[in-house]
């Protein structure tokens, strides 16, 4: 298959993919990969396969194609191709929750001295790196990366990147409990979709609605949360977006838990858990188990709650997800206080404070811990943050 035919077939695949015929598109692209003798065409078709597998939540396949793409980039001996392939490798690892590897591949990208094209990818590299630091609960470095990504988006007038960074910032502020900002950023993302997103994939709209739903729930605006989550889930189902379906199911379950409707929450946690397990989102699994633990505690089923905690703790330790561990110690503290088991209680109080210190979750002004309750935060140019009050 020559250069022109390769190009034609890639376009055919894209057309199929955009009209929701994913499996047909994959078959066309796989045929190009087998038959094409054009390395640049092979590189491009690998990019299509990587994106498609990412959106379906087939992260192991995504990683496999990213590795092949690096070999193709080396064959082409072009630093821009190499930067792009390392970014895809970083993003594959980010999706598989291999955060240390993600950071290391992102650093490789940033150290490559490509041309302007390669440097334009730096915004996406900074975003992926920020998501990985957030997965490790290294908040200051995550914020630095997100702000850098936002600067790249503004300088290159890249509205799609800006939209993705706003969603990540929403997630960031939801975790450290500044719920005003956790809502502000995904609302900004939704505005960008409305103003510029006519030709964009619907996943951008779905993503902003999901992050708005999370913030609305945390603010106690449960009807608004439900509306946004339903909108997001509708798009996720239309597009076969398994990762987003899992997140929406988790959000639905959390909304029902907030309404004290544990019976409706449990089946949604279960459905979310089975998709998260299938796609390999271990960070998501910790969130599901945290929600289930709180349900068991509401029902005074403390031994079942401790079973969920044990599973979540093993996952969180494997990931290096420090905020998850802090929340688990906090829940254990409440359980052992109720059970009157003083030794275990003391043990978890100590571990809780170790986590707070390790994450440096203290306000630089008042010295109180950050992320304990909803409070407005302000970040300094050095990415240290403190209570606005």
């Amino acid at each position: 298959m020559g250069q022109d035919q390769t190009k034609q077939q890639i376009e055919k695949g894209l057309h199929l993919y955009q009209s929701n015929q994913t499996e047909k598109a994959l078959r066309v692209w796989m045929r190009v990969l087998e038959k094409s003798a054009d390395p640049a065409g092979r590189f491009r078709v690998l990019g299509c396969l990587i994106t498609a597998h990412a959106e379906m939540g087939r992260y192991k396949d995504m990683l496999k194609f990213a590795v092949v793409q690096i070999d193709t980039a080396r064959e082409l001996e072009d630093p821009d191709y190499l930067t792009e392939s390392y970014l895809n490798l970083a993003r594959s690892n980010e999706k598989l929750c291999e955060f240390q590897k993600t950071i290391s591949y992102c650093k490789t990208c940033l150290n490559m001295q490509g041309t302007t094209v390669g440097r334009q990818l730096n915004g996406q590299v900074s975003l992926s790196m920020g998501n990985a630091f957030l997965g490790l609960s290294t908040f200051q470095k995550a914020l630095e990366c997100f702000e850098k990504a936002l600067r790249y988006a503004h300088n290159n007038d890249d509205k799609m990147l800006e939209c993705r960074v706003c969603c990540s910032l929403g997630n960031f502020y939801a975790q450290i409990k500044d719920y005003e900002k956790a809502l502000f950023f995904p609302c900004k993302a939704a505005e960008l979709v409305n103003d510029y997103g006519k030709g964009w994939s619907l996943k951008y709209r779905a993503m902003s609605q999901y992050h708005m739903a999370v913030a609305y729930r945390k603010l106690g605006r449960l009807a608004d949360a439900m509306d946004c989550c339903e909108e997001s889930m509708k798009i996720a189902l239309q597009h076969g977006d398994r990762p987003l379906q899992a997140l929406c199911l988790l959000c639905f379950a959390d909304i029902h838990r907030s309404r004290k409707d544990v019976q409706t929450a449990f089946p949604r946690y279960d459905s979310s858990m089975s998709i998260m397990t299938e796609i390999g989102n271990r960070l998501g699994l910790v969130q599901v188990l945290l929600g289930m633990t709180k349900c068991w505690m509401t029902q005074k089923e403390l031994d079942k709650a401790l079973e969920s905690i044990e599973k979540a703790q093993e996952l969180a330790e494997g990931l290096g997800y420090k905020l998850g561990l802090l929340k688990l110690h906090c829940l254990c503290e409440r359980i052992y206080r109720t059970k009157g088991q003083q030794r275990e209680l003391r043990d978890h109080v100590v571990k809780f404070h170790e986590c707070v210190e390790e994450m440096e979750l203290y306000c630089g002004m008042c010295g109180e811990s950050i992320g304990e309750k909803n409070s407005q935060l302000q970040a300094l140019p050095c990415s240290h943050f403190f209570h606005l009050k």
Side-chain angles (χ1 to χ4, degrees), residues 180 183 212-213 215-227 255 259:
E180 303 296 320
L183 180 61
M212 281 164 71
Y216 277 135
R217 185 193 73 82
K218 302 249 187 200
L219 285 163
R221 292 170 60 178
L222 302 183
D224 291 328
M226 192 56 106
D227 288 346
I255 292 168
R259 288 177 170 163

Side-chain angles (χ1 to χ4, degrees), residues 159 163 167 186-209:
K159 302 295 182 194
C163 178
C167 287
C187 283
K188 173 82 178 123
E191 264 173 47
L192 289 165
V193 174
N194 286 336
D195 295 346
Y196 304 97
K198 282 230 169 17
W200 297 4
S201 152
L202 275 172
K203 74 168 183 198
Y204 288 93
R205 178 169 176 74
M207 205 165 54
S208 58
Q209 293 293 322

Side-chain angles (χ1 to χ4, degrees), residues 35-52:
K35 302 265 165 75
S36 178
D38 169 34
R42 284 168 58 79
F43 184 88
R44 190 160 172 236
V45 87
L46 282 159
C48 295
L49 286 162
I50 288 164
T51 303

Side-chain angles (χ1 to χ4, degrees), residues 136-200:
L136 295 168
S137 313
T138 312
F139 295 108
Q140 196 189 330
K141 284 184 177 172
L143 189 58
E144 268 170 37
C145 290
F146 292 146
E147 292 190 330
K148 204 180 282 180
L150 214 45
R151 278 199 299 278
Y152 279 116
H154 290 153
N155 294 343
N156 295 315
D157 200 27
D158 186 341
K159 302 295 182 194
M160 274 187 182
L161 175 62
E162 188 180 344
C163 178
R164 286 168 57 200
V165 178
C166 284
C167 287
S168 283
L169 280 166
N171 183 18
F172 174 88
Y173 282 110
Q175 289 196 32
I176 56 172
K177 297 198 176 179
D178 179 343
Y179 299 145
E180 303 296 320
K181 286 194 184 67
L183 180 61
F184 169 80
F185 282 106
C187 283
K188 173 82 178 123
E191 264 173 47
L192 289 165
V193 174
N194 286 336
D195 295 346
Y196 304 97
K198 282 230 169 17
W200 297 4

